[in-house]
Structures are given as C-alpha cells and as structure tokens.
Short mmCIF file of all heavy atoms in Angstrom, two decimals:
data_model
loop_
_atom_site.label_atom_id
_atom_site.label_comp_id
_atom_site.label_asym_id
_atom_site.label_seq_id
_atom_site.Cartn_x
_atom_site.Cartn_y
_atom_site.Cartn_z
N MET A 1 -49.71 5.78 7.40
CA MET A 1 -49.66 5.22 8.74
C MET A 1 -48.38 5.67 9.38
O MET A 1 -47.33 5.63 8.82
CB MET A 1 -49.66 3.70 8.54
CG MET A 1 -49.83 2.87 9.77
SD MET A 1 -51.39 2.85 10.62
CE MET A 1 -52.52 2.24 9.47
N ASN A 2 -48.46 6.12 10.63
CA ASN A 2 -47.30 6.58 11.34
C ASN A 2 -46.61 5.45 12.04
O ASN A 2 -47.20 4.52 12.57
CB ASN A 2 -47.72 7.61 12.40
CG ASN A 2 -47.89 9.00 11.84
OD1 ASN A 2 -47.62 9.19 10.70
ND2 ASN A 2 -48.39 9.88 12.68
N SER A 3 -45.27 5.53 12.01
CA SER A 3 -44.54 4.59 12.85
C SER A 3 -44.09 5.40 14.07
O SER A 3 -44.29 6.60 14.14
CB SER A 3 -43.34 4.04 12.10
OG SER A 3 -42.36 5.06 12.01
N ASP A 4 -43.47 4.69 15.04
CA ASP A 4 -43.05 5.41 16.22
C ASP A 4 -41.95 6.46 15.95
O ASP A 4 -41.78 7.41 16.68
CB ASP A 4 -42.48 4.39 17.25
CG ASP A 4 -43.57 3.55 17.81
OD1 ASP A 4 -44.74 3.97 17.76
OD2 ASP A 4 -43.27 2.46 18.34
N ASN A 5 -41.23 6.31 14.83
CA ASN A 5 -40.17 7.23 14.48
C ASN A 5 -40.66 8.46 13.69
O ASN A 5 -39.91 9.42 13.52
CB ASN A 5 -39.08 6.58 13.69
CG ASN A 5 -38.39 5.48 14.54
OD1 ASN A 5 -38.29 5.60 15.75
ND2 ASN A 5 -37.97 4.43 13.86
N ASP A 6 -41.86 8.38 13.15
CA ASP A 6 -42.35 9.49 12.32
C ASP A 6 -43.08 10.47 13.24
O ASP A 6 -43.88 10.14 14.09
CB ASP A 6 -43.38 8.95 11.33
CG ASP A 6 -42.74 8.19 10.20
OD1 ASP A 6 -41.52 8.38 9.96
OD2 ASP A 6 -43.39 7.32 9.62
N PRO A 7 -42.81 11.80 13.03
CA PRO A 7 -43.54 12.82 13.77
C PRO A 7 -45.00 12.83 13.29
O PRO A 7 -45.28 12.41 12.17
CB PRO A 7 -42.82 14.08 13.44
CG PRO A 7 -42.10 13.82 12.17
CD PRO A 7 -41.83 12.38 12.13
N ALA A 8 -45.83 13.39 14.11
CA ALA A 8 -47.25 13.46 13.71
C ALA A 8 -47.38 14.35 12.45
O ALA A 8 -46.59 15.34 12.30
CB ALA A 8 -48.07 14.11 14.81
N PRO A 9 -48.28 14.02 11.50
CA PRO A 9 -48.47 14.84 10.33
C PRO A 9 -48.83 16.28 10.79
O PRO A 9 -49.45 16.50 11.81
CB PRO A 9 -49.63 14.19 9.64
CG PRO A 9 -49.65 12.80 10.11
CD PRO A 9 -49.15 12.87 11.54
N ARG A 10 -48.38 17.24 9.91
CA ARG A 10 -48.60 18.62 10.29
C ARG A 10 -48.92 19.39 9.01
O ARG A 10 -48.28 19.19 7.98
CB ARG A 10 -47.38 19.19 10.92
CG ARG A 10 -47.53 20.60 11.42
CD ARG A 10 -46.24 21.02 12.15
NE ARG A 10 -46.38 22.32 12.72
CZ ARG A 10 -46.53 22.63 13.97
NH1 ARG A 10 -46.54 21.63 14.83
NH2 ARG A 10 -46.62 23.86 14.41
N ILE A 11 -49.92 20.21 9.04
CA ILE A 11 -50.29 21.09 7.90
C ILE A 11 -50.10 22.52 8.32
O ILE A 11 -50.62 22.97 9.31
CB ILE A 11 -51.75 20.83 7.50
CG1 ILE A 11 -51.93 19.38 7.07
CG2 ILE A 11 -52.13 21.79 6.34
CD1 ILE A 11 -53.40 19.00 6.79
N THR A 12 -49.31 23.25 7.50
CA THR A 12 -49.05 24.63 7.75
C THR A 12 -49.63 25.48 6.62
O THR A 12 -49.32 25.26 5.46
CB THR A 12 -47.54 24.90 7.82
OG1 THR A 12 -46.97 24.01 8.87
CG2 THR A 12 -47.19 26.34 8.17
N ALA A 13 -50.49 26.42 6.98
CA ALA A 13 -51.03 27.37 6.01
C ALA A 13 -50.05 28.50 5.82
O ALA A 13 -49.78 29.30 6.72
CB ALA A 13 -52.36 27.87 6.45
N CYS A 14 -49.45 28.57 4.62
CA CYS A 14 -48.49 29.63 4.31
C CYS A 14 -49.25 30.91 4.01
O CYS A 14 -50.21 30.93 3.21
CB CYS A 14 -47.63 29.24 3.13
SG CYS A 14 -46.62 27.83 3.44
N PRO A 15 -48.84 32.05 4.57
CA PRO A 15 -49.51 33.27 4.25
C PRO A 15 -49.43 33.55 2.75
O PRO A 15 -48.37 33.45 2.14
CB PRO A 15 -48.66 34.33 5.01
CG PRO A 15 -48.03 33.56 6.12
CD PRO A 15 -47.75 32.18 5.55
N ASP A 16 -50.58 33.84 2.15
CA ASP A 16 -50.72 34.09 0.71
C ASP A 16 -50.13 33.00 -0.16
O ASP A 16 -49.65 33.23 -1.29
CB ASP A 16 -49.97 35.41 0.36
CG ASP A 16 -50.53 36.59 1.16
OD1 ASP A 16 -51.69 36.51 1.59
OD2 ASP A 16 -49.80 37.56 1.35
N GLY A 17 -50.18 31.74 0.34
CA GLY A 17 -49.61 30.62 -0.45
C GLY A 17 -50.23 29.30 -0.14
O GLY A 17 -51.39 29.24 0.35
N PRO A 18 -49.54 28.22 -0.40
CA PRO A 18 -50.14 26.90 -0.28
C PRO A 18 -50.22 26.39 1.15
O PRO A 18 -49.83 27.05 2.08
CB PRO A 18 -49.10 26.07 -1.06
CG PRO A 18 -47.83 26.74 -0.86
CD PRO A 18 -48.14 28.21 -0.85
N LEU A 19 -50.78 25.16 1.25
CA LEU A 19 -50.77 24.42 2.50
C LEU A 19 -49.58 23.48 2.44
O LEU A 19 -49.51 22.62 1.50
CB LEU A 19 -52.07 23.65 2.65
CG LEU A 19 -53.37 24.47 2.71
CD1 LEU A 19 -54.58 23.52 2.71
CD2 LEU A 19 -53.38 25.33 3.97
N LEU A 20 -48.65 23.57 3.39
CA LEU A 20 -47.54 22.68 3.43
C LEU A 20 -47.92 21.48 4.30
O LEU A 20 -48.36 21.65 5.44
CB LEU A 20 -46.30 23.33 4.02
CG LEU A 20 -45.69 24.41 3.17
CD1 LEU A 20 -44.42 24.94 3.82
CD2 LEU A 20 -45.39 23.96 1.77
N VAL A 21 -47.80 20.29 3.74
CA VAL A 21 -48.18 19.08 4.46
C VAL A 21 -46.89 18.31 4.71
O VAL A 21 -46.20 17.87 3.81
CB VAL A 21 -49.13 18.24 3.61
CG1 VAL A 21 -49.55 16.96 4.38
CG2 VAL A 21 -50.41 19.04 3.24
N ARG A 22 -46.65 18.14 6.00
CA ARG A 22 -45.44 17.36 6.40
C ARG A 22 -45.90 16.08 7.12
O ARG A 22 -46.88 16.09 7.86
CB ARG A 22 -44.56 18.16 7.35
CG ARG A 22 -43.97 19.42 6.70
CD ARG A 22 -43.10 20.15 7.71
NE ARG A 22 -42.46 21.28 7.08
CZ ARG A 22 -42.97 22.49 7.03
NH1 ARG A 22 -44.15 22.75 7.56
NH2 ARG A 22 -42.33 23.48 6.41
N GLY A 23 -45.19 15.03 6.96
CA GLY A 23 -45.49 13.79 7.63
C GLY A 23 -46.12 12.75 6.72
O GLY A 23 -46.39 13.02 5.56
N ASP A 24 -46.40 11.63 7.29
CA ASP A 24 -46.88 10.48 6.54
C ASP A 24 -48.40 10.52 6.49
O ASP A 24 -49.10 10.14 7.43
CB ASP A 24 -46.42 9.19 7.22
CG ASP A 24 -46.63 8.01 6.35
OD1 ASP A 24 -46.90 8.17 5.12
OD2 ASP A 24 -46.54 6.89 6.86
N ILE A 25 -48.98 11.00 5.39
CA ILE A 25 -50.40 11.03 5.22
C ILE A 25 -50.76 10.39 3.84
O ILE A 25 -49.86 10.31 3.02
CB ILE A 25 -50.98 12.43 5.31
CG1 ILE A 25 -50.38 13.35 4.19
CG2 ILE A 25 -50.80 13.04 6.66
CD1 ILE A 25 -51.28 13.65 3.05
N GLU A 26 -51.95 9.94 3.71
CA GLU A 26 -52.36 9.47 2.38
C GLU A 26 -53.12 10.62 1.70
O GLU A 26 -53.91 11.29 2.27
CB GLU A 26 -53.35 8.31 2.55
CG GLU A 26 -52.70 7.05 3.11
CD GLU A 26 -53.68 5.95 3.25
OE1 GLU A 26 -54.75 5.94 2.55
OE2 GLU A 26 -53.43 5.02 4.07
N LEU A 27 -52.73 10.84 0.41
CA LEU A 27 -53.36 11.88 -0.38
C LEU A 27 -54.27 11.14 -1.38
O LEU A 27 -53.86 10.30 -2.14
CB LEU A 27 -52.27 12.66 -1.14
CG LEU A 27 -52.74 13.93 -1.89
CD1 LEU A 27 -53.42 14.92 -0.95
CD2 LEU A 27 -51.51 14.56 -2.56
N VAL A 28 -55.60 11.54 -1.29
CA VAL A 28 -56.59 10.78 -2.07
C VAL A 28 -57.41 11.75 -2.89
O VAL A 28 -57.78 12.88 -2.45
CB VAL A 28 -57.54 10.02 -1.09
CG1 VAL A 28 -58.57 9.21 -1.86
CG2 VAL A 28 -56.68 9.06 -0.20
N SER A 29 -57.74 11.42 -4.14
CA SER A 29 -58.53 12.27 -5.01
C SER A 29 -59.98 12.29 -4.55
O SER A 29 -60.41 11.47 -3.71
CB SER A 29 -58.46 11.74 -6.45
OG SER A 29 -59.22 10.60 -6.59
N GLY A 30 -60.75 13.12 -5.19
CA GLY A 30 -62.19 13.20 -4.89
C GLY A 30 -62.97 11.93 -5.27
O GLY A 30 -64.06 11.69 -4.76
N THR A 31 -62.36 11.10 -6.10
CA THR A 31 -62.98 9.82 -6.45
C THR A 31 -62.39 8.66 -5.67
O THR A 31 -62.70 7.52 -5.97
CB THR A 31 -62.78 9.55 -7.98
OG1 THR A 31 -61.41 9.54 -8.29
CG2 THR A 31 -63.54 10.62 -8.80
N GLY A 32 -61.55 9.00 -4.70
CA GLY A 32 -61.03 7.97 -3.82
C GLY A 32 -59.74 7.28 -4.28
O GLY A 32 -59.31 6.30 -3.68
N GLU A 33 -59.18 7.78 -5.33
CA GLU A 33 -57.96 7.16 -5.82
C GLU A 33 -56.73 7.81 -5.13
O GLU A 33 -56.68 9.01 -4.94
CB GLU A 33 -57.87 7.30 -7.35
CG GLU A 33 -58.94 6.65 -8.08
CD GLU A 33 -58.94 6.92 -9.58
OE1 GLU A 33 -57.94 7.41 -10.10
OE2 GLU A 33 -59.98 6.72 -10.20
N ASP A 34 -55.76 6.90 -4.88
CA ASP A 34 -54.52 7.45 -4.26
C ASP A 34 -53.80 8.39 -5.20
O ASP A 34 -53.70 8.08 -6.40
CB ASP A 34 -53.57 6.33 -3.85
CG ASP A 34 -54.08 5.52 -2.70
OD1 ASP A 34 -54.90 6.06 -1.90
OD2 ASP A 34 -53.65 4.37 -2.54
N ILE A 35 -53.30 9.52 -4.70
CA ILE A 35 -52.49 10.45 -5.46
C ILE A 35 -51.05 10.25 -4.96
O ILE A 35 -50.76 10.35 -3.77
CB ILE A 35 -52.91 11.88 -5.22
CG1 ILE A 35 -54.33 12.06 -5.72
CG2 ILE A 35 -51.96 12.85 -5.93
CD1 ILE A 35 -54.93 13.43 -5.41
N PRO A 36 -50.16 9.79 -5.86
CA PRO A 36 -48.81 9.50 -5.41
C PRO A 36 -48.08 10.75 -4.93
O PRO A 36 -48.25 11.82 -5.46
CB PRO A 36 -48.12 8.96 -6.71
CG PRO A 36 -49.00 9.32 -7.82
CD PRO A 36 -50.37 9.61 -7.31
N ARG A 37 -47.26 10.52 -3.90
CA ARG A 37 -46.43 11.58 -3.35
C ARG A 37 -45.00 11.26 -3.66
O ARG A 37 -44.56 10.15 -3.55
CB ARG A 37 -46.58 11.64 -1.81
CG ARG A 37 -47.91 12.11 -1.37
CD ARG A 37 -48.01 12.17 0.14
NE ARG A 37 -46.94 12.95 0.74
CZ ARG A 37 -46.89 13.21 2.01
NH1 ARG A 37 -47.79 12.76 2.84
NH2 ARG A 37 -45.96 13.95 2.47
N ARG A 38 -44.31 12.28 -4.10
CA ARG A 38 -42.88 12.08 -4.42
C ARG A 38 -41.96 12.63 -3.32
O ARG A 38 -40.77 12.36 -3.36
CB ARG A 38 -42.53 12.78 -5.76
CG ARG A 38 -43.32 12.18 -6.90
CD ARG A 38 -42.91 12.82 -8.22
NE ARG A 38 -43.80 12.39 -9.26
CZ ARG A 38 -44.75 13.16 -9.82
NH1 ARG A 38 -44.85 14.39 -9.42
NH2 ARG A 38 -45.55 12.68 -10.75
N ARG A 39 -42.56 13.38 -2.46
CA ARG A 39 -41.75 13.99 -1.35
C ARG A 39 -42.43 13.80 -0.02
O ARG A 39 -43.66 13.65 0.07
CB ARG A 39 -41.55 15.47 -1.63
CG ARG A 39 -40.81 15.74 -2.90
CD ARG A 39 -40.75 17.21 -3.14
NE ARG A 39 -40.05 17.48 -4.37
CZ ARG A 39 -39.96 18.66 -4.96
NH1 ARG A 39 -40.51 19.67 -4.42
NH2 ARG A 39 -39.33 18.79 -6.09
N LYS A 40 -41.66 13.89 1.02
CA LYS A 40 -42.18 13.80 2.38
C LYS A 40 -42.99 15.06 2.70
O LYS A 40 -44.04 14.96 3.39
CB LYS A 40 -41.03 13.61 3.39
CG LYS A 40 -41.46 13.26 4.74
CD LYS A 40 -41.61 11.79 4.89
CE LYS A 40 -41.84 11.38 6.36
NZ LYS A 40 -42.12 9.97 6.49
N THR A 41 -42.55 16.23 2.25
CA THR A 41 -43.25 17.46 2.44
C THR A 41 -43.80 17.94 1.14
O THR A 41 -43.09 17.98 0.11
CB THR A 41 -42.32 18.56 3.00
OG1 THR A 41 -41.84 18.17 4.26
CG2 THR A 41 -43.08 19.89 3.17
N ILE A 42 -45.15 18.18 1.06
CA ILE A 42 -45.77 18.64 -0.18
C ILE A 42 -46.47 19.95 0.06
O ILE A 42 -46.88 20.28 1.19
CB ILE A 42 -46.71 17.60 -0.73
CG1 ILE A 42 -47.81 17.25 0.33
CG2 ILE A 42 -45.98 16.35 -1.16
CD1 ILE A 42 -48.90 16.35 -0.22
N ALA A 43 -46.62 20.67 -1.07
CA ALA A 43 -47.36 21.97 -1.00
C ALA A 43 -48.67 21.77 -1.82
O ALA A 43 -48.60 21.47 -2.99
CB ALA A 43 -46.54 23.08 -1.58
N LEU A 44 -49.80 21.95 -1.14
CA LEU A 44 -51.10 21.84 -1.81
C LEU A 44 -51.64 23.24 -2.15
O LEU A 44 -51.64 24.12 -1.31
CB LEU A 44 -52.06 21.10 -0.88
CG LEU A 44 -51.70 19.67 -0.51
CD1 LEU A 44 -52.78 19.06 0.41
CD2 LEU A 44 -51.58 18.80 -1.82
N CYS A 45 -52.10 23.38 -3.38
CA CYS A 45 -52.62 24.64 -3.84
C CYS A 45 -53.93 25.00 -3.08
O CYS A 45 -54.78 24.13 -2.89
CB CYS A 45 -52.92 24.53 -5.32
SG CYS A 45 -53.68 26.02 -6.06
N ARG A 46 -54.02 26.21 -2.68
CA ARG A 46 -55.29 26.70 -2.17
C ARG A 46 -55.77 27.96 -2.83
O ARG A 46 -56.71 28.58 -2.45
CB ARG A 46 -55.23 26.87 -0.65
CG ARG A 46 -54.40 27.95 -0.14
CD ARG A 46 -54.58 28.08 1.39
NE ARG A 46 -53.53 28.92 1.91
CZ ARG A 46 -53.59 29.54 3.06
NH1 ARG A 46 -54.70 29.44 3.79
NH2 ARG A 46 -52.61 30.26 3.49
N CYS A 47 -55.04 28.39 -3.88
CA CYS A 47 -55.48 29.54 -4.64
C CYS A 47 -56.36 29.14 -5.80
O CYS A 47 -57.12 29.96 -6.31
CB CYS A 47 -54.28 30.36 -5.17
SG CYS A 47 -53.44 29.62 -6.58
N GLY A 48 -56.26 27.90 -6.23
CA GLY A 48 -57.11 27.41 -7.30
C GLY A 48 -56.53 27.57 -8.67
O GLY A 48 -57.14 27.17 -9.66
N ALA A 49 -55.37 28.17 -8.83
CA ALA A 49 -54.79 28.53 -10.11
C ALA A 49 -53.65 27.56 -10.56
O ALA A 49 -53.20 27.71 -11.69
CB ALA A 49 -54.33 29.93 -10.15
N SER A 50 -53.24 26.61 -9.73
CA SER A 50 -52.12 25.77 -10.14
C SER A 50 -52.50 24.92 -11.34
O SER A 50 -53.65 24.49 -11.52
CB SER A 50 -51.80 24.85 -8.95
OG SER A 50 -50.85 23.86 -9.34
N THR A 51 -51.52 24.66 -12.17
CA THR A 51 -51.72 23.76 -13.32
C THR A 51 -51.41 22.33 -12.96
O THR A 51 -51.58 21.46 -13.83
CB THR A 51 -50.84 24.20 -14.52
OG1 THR A 51 -49.49 24.15 -14.13
CG2 THR A 51 -51.24 25.60 -14.96
N ILE A 52 -50.92 22.09 -11.74
CA ILE A 52 -50.59 20.70 -11.37
C ILE A 52 -51.37 20.35 -10.08
O ILE A 52 -50.83 19.67 -9.21
CB ILE A 52 -49.08 20.51 -11.18
CG1 ILE A 52 -48.54 21.55 -10.15
CG2 ILE A 52 -48.38 20.65 -12.50
CD1 ILE A 52 -47.08 21.25 -9.72
N LYS A 53 -52.59 20.74 -9.97
CA LYS A 53 -53.41 20.48 -8.77
C LYS A 53 -53.39 18.96 -8.53
O LYS A 53 -53.43 18.19 -9.46
CB LYS A 53 -54.89 20.92 -9.01
CG LYS A 53 -55.04 22.41 -9.05
CD LYS A 53 -56.48 22.77 -9.23
CE LYS A 53 -56.73 24.16 -9.59
NZ LYS A 53 -56.65 24.46 -11.02
N PRO A 54 -53.36 18.57 -7.30
CA PRO A 54 -53.61 19.37 -6.14
C PRO A 54 -52.34 20.11 -5.63
O PRO A 54 -52.40 20.76 -4.59
CB PRO A 54 -54.06 18.36 -5.13
CG PRO A 54 -53.29 17.08 -5.44
CD PRO A 54 -53.23 17.12 -6.95
N TYR A 55 -51.23 19.95 -6.36
CA TYR A 55 -50.02 20.57 -5.88
C TYR A 55 -49.91 22.03 -6.30
O TYR A 55 -50.44 22.43 -7.31
CB TYR A 55 -48.80 19.77 -6.44
CG TYR A 55 -48.79 18.34 -6.01
CD1 TYR A 55 -49.06 17.35 -6.94
CD2 TYR A 55 -48.58 17.97 -4.68
CE1 TYR A 55 -49.12 16.00 -6.56
CE2 TYR A 55 -48.64 16.67 -4.33
CZ TYR A 55 -48.87 15.70 -5.25
OH TYR A 55 -48.89 14.40 -4.83
N CYS A 56 -49.14 22.78 -5.54
CA CYS A 56 -48.86 24.17 -5.84
C CYS A 56 -47.74 24.23 -6.90
O CYS A 56 -46.79 23.47 -6.79
CB CYS A 56 -48.42 24.88 -4.56
SG CYS A 56 -47.65 26.52 -4.75
N ASP A 57 -47.89 25.06 -7.86
CA ASP A 57 -46.85 25.30 -8.85
C ASP A 57 -46.26 26.73 -8.80
O ASP A 57 -45.53 27.11 -9.68
CB ASP A 57 -47.31 24.97 -10.25
CG ASP A 57 -48.37 25.93 -10.78
OD1 ASP A 57 -48.76 26.85 -10.05
OD2 ASP A 57 -48.78 25.75 -11.98
N GLY A 58 -46.65 27.47 -7.79
CA GLY A 58 -46.13 28.80 -7.64
C GLY A 58 -46.99 29.89 -8.30
O GLY A 58 -46.69 31.07 -8.15
N THR A 59 -48.00 29.53 -8.98
CA THR A 59 -48.85 30.49 -9.68
C THR A 59 -49.54 31.48 -8.71
O THR A 59 -49.81 32.59 -9.11
CB THR A 59 -49.94 29.76 -10.49
OG1 THR A 59 -49.34 28.86 -11.45
CG2 THR A 59 -50.85 30.72 -11.25
N HIS A 60 -49.68 31.12 -7.48
CA HIS A 60 -50.32 32.02 -6.47
C HIS A 60 -49.54 33.34 -6.46
O HIS A 60 -50.17 34.38 -6.23
CB HIS A 60 -50.38 31.39 -5.11
CG HIS A 60 -49.04 30.98 -4.55
ND1 HIS A 60 -48.42 29.78 -4.70
CD2 HIS A 60 -48.19 31.70 -3.75
CE1 HIS A 60 -47.26 29.78 -4.11
NE2 HIS A 60 -47.10 30.89 -3.52
N LYS A 61 -48.25 33.27 -6.71
CA LYS A 61 -47.48 34.55 -6.69
C LYS A 61 -47.82 35.41 -7.90
O LYS A 61 -47.91 36.62 -7.80
CB LYS A 61 -45.95 34.27 -6.71
CG LYS A 61 -45.49 33.61 -5.42
CD LYS A 61 -44.02 33.33 -5.46
CE LYS A 61 -43.56 32.56 -4.22
NZ LYS A 61 -42.15 32.07 -4.33
N LEU A 62 -47.99 34.79 -9.04
CA LEU A 62 -48.31 35.50 -10.29
C LEU A 62 -49.67 36.20 -10.22
O LEU A 62 -49.87 37.26 -10.73
CB LEU A 62 -48.26 34.57 -11.49
CG LEU A 62 -46.91 33.95 -11.82
CD1 LEU A 62 -47.04 32.94 -12.95
CD2 LEU A 62 -45.91 35.03 -12.17
N ILE A 63 -50.62 35.50 -9.56
CA ILE A 63 -51.94 36.07 -9.48
C ILE A 63 -52.18 36.91 -8.24
O ILE A 63 -53.27 37.36 -7.99
CB ILE A 63 -53.04 34.95 -9.59
CG1 ILE A 63 -53.01 34.02 -8.35
CG2 ILE A 63 -52.90 34.19 -10.87
CD1 ILE A 63 -54.19 33.07 -8.23
N LYS A 64 -51.08 37.03 -7.44
CA LYS A 64 -51.12 37.82 -6.24
C LYS A 64 -52.21 37.36 -5.25
O LYS A 64 -52.98 38.15 -4.70
CB LYS A 64 -51.28 39.31 -6.56
CG LYS A 64 -50.17 39.87 -7.35
CD LYS A 64 -50.33 41.35 -7.63
CE LYS A 64 -49.27 42.02 -8.38
NZ LYS A 64 -48.20 41.41 -9.00
N PHE A 65 -52.29 36.03 -5.10
CA PHE A 65 -53.26 35.42 -4.16
C PHE A 65 -52.98 35.92 -2.78
O PHE A 65 -51.80 35.96 -2.31
CB PHE A 65 -53.10 33.91 -4.24
CG PHE A 65 -53.95 33.16 -3.23
CD1 PHE A 65 -55.30 33.15 -3.34
CD2 PHE A 65 -53.37 32.44 -2.19
CE1 PHE A 65 -56.12 32.41 -2.45
CE2 PHE A 65 -54.12 31.77 -1.26
CZ PHE A 65 -55.50 31.74 -1.38
N THR A 66 -54.03 36.25 -2.07
CA THR A 66 -53.86 36.67 -0.66
C THR A 66 -54.86 35.90 0.22
O THR A 66 -55.88 35.46 -0.22
CB THR A 66 -54.15 38.21 -0.49
OG1 THR A 66 -55.49 38.46 -0.88
CG2 THR A 66 -53.19 39.02 -1.31
N THR A 67 -54.41 35.78 1.47
CA THR A 67 -55.29 35.12 2.47
C THR A 67 -55.44 36.15 3.62
O THR A 67 -54.66 37.07 3.74
CB THR A 67 -54.59 33.87 3.01
OG1 THR A 67 -53.35 34.23 3.58
CG2 THR A 67 -54.42 32.84 1.95
N ASN A 68 -56.41 35.88 4.43
CA ASN A 68 -56.59 36.70 5.62
C ASN A 68 -55.44 36.29 6.58
O ASN A 68 -54.97 35.16 6.54
CB ASN A 68 -57.88 36.44 6.29
CG ASN A 68 -59.04 36.90 5.43
OD1 ASN A 68 -58.93 37.87 4.67
ND2 ASN A 68 -60.18 36.19 5.49
N SER A 69 -55.04 37.14 7.41
CA SER A 69 -53.95 36.88 8.35
C SER A 69 -54.27 35.69 9.23
O SER A 69 -53.43 35.01 9.73
CB SER A 69 -53.60 38.10 9.20
OG SER A 69 -54.69 38.52 9.93
N ALA A 70 -55.56 35.44 9.49
CA ALA A 70 -55.97 34.34 10.34
C ALA A 70 -56.01 32.97 9.62
O ALA A 70 -56.13 31.96 10.28
CB ALA A 70 -57.34 34.60 10.93
N ASP A 71 -55.86 32.97 8.28
CA ASP A 71 -55.91 31.70 7.53
C ASP A 71 -54.64 30.89 7.64
O ASP A 71 -53.58 31.40 7.64
CB ASP A 71 -56.17 31.99 6.04
CG ASP A 71 -57.61 32.47 5.81
OD1 ASP A 71 -58.42 32.35 6.72
OD2 ASP A 71 -57.84 32.97 4.68
S1 FES B 1 -51.30 28.04 -3.78
FE1 FES B 1 -49.56 27.91 -5.10
S2 FES B 1 -50.41 27.74 -7.07
FE2 FES B 1 -52.11 27.80 -5.77
#
C-alpha cells in the first residue's frame, strides 16, 4: 500500500538481467502466499536459472542470459 510519501512502484527491466522492483508492492507466490521482502528494491529473476527464485542471484551472467533490446 502506498502512502503519500512513497513514490509509485516502478519495475525496470535490466538489459540481459533481472527485473528491478522499486517501491511498496506485495510479492505473492503462485499459491497466494506472501513472499517476504528484505529490501525496498528487489531484483526478480527472469532468466529462470536463479537458485533463490523469485530473486535474482546473479546466475544470469554465468549463463550469458540475453534479452532483446526492446525487453
Ligand atoms: S535474472 Fe539474475 S539469476 Fe536470473
């Protein structure tokens, strides 16, 4: 839930990397359970190779994950 002092949530697709999520959002699993956040800004894996999904662990660099420039 946003307060008046919080900026609107923002998701940034990093070239050849994760989705950076900034702002106050709820992160929920596929079964509807809350996934705890430890930081205000989080990186979500979009390469599929992270060992700590849904978070990015940097493995995208090891597997040379690439995205289209428009992603
Ligand atoms: S995007 Fe970083 S490990 Fe998948």
Side-chain angles (χ1 to χ4, degrees):
M1 190 70 59
N2 278 354
S3 72
D4 290 339
N5 295 328
D6 290 334
R10 185 176 183 107
I11 300 174
T12 305
C14 296
D16 303 335
L19 298 173
L20 293 183
V21 181
R22 295 180 176 90
D24 192 16
I25 60 106
E26 292 180 22
L27 188 58
V28 181
S29 74
T31 58
E33 297 173 18
D34 288 340
I35 298 174
R37 291 180 56 174
R38 298 186 188 104
R39 299 177 181 170
K40 192 87 173 175
T41 299
I42 57 174
L44 297 179
C45 177
R46 68 174 167 158
C47 75
S50 173
T51 60
I52 57 169
K53 291 181 192 88
Y55 301 109
C56 168
D57 67 358
T59 302
H60 61 270
K61 292 179 185 172
L62 296 174
I63 66 169
K64 300 182 179 4
F65 175 69
T66 60
T67 58
N68 295 327
S69 59
D71 288 347

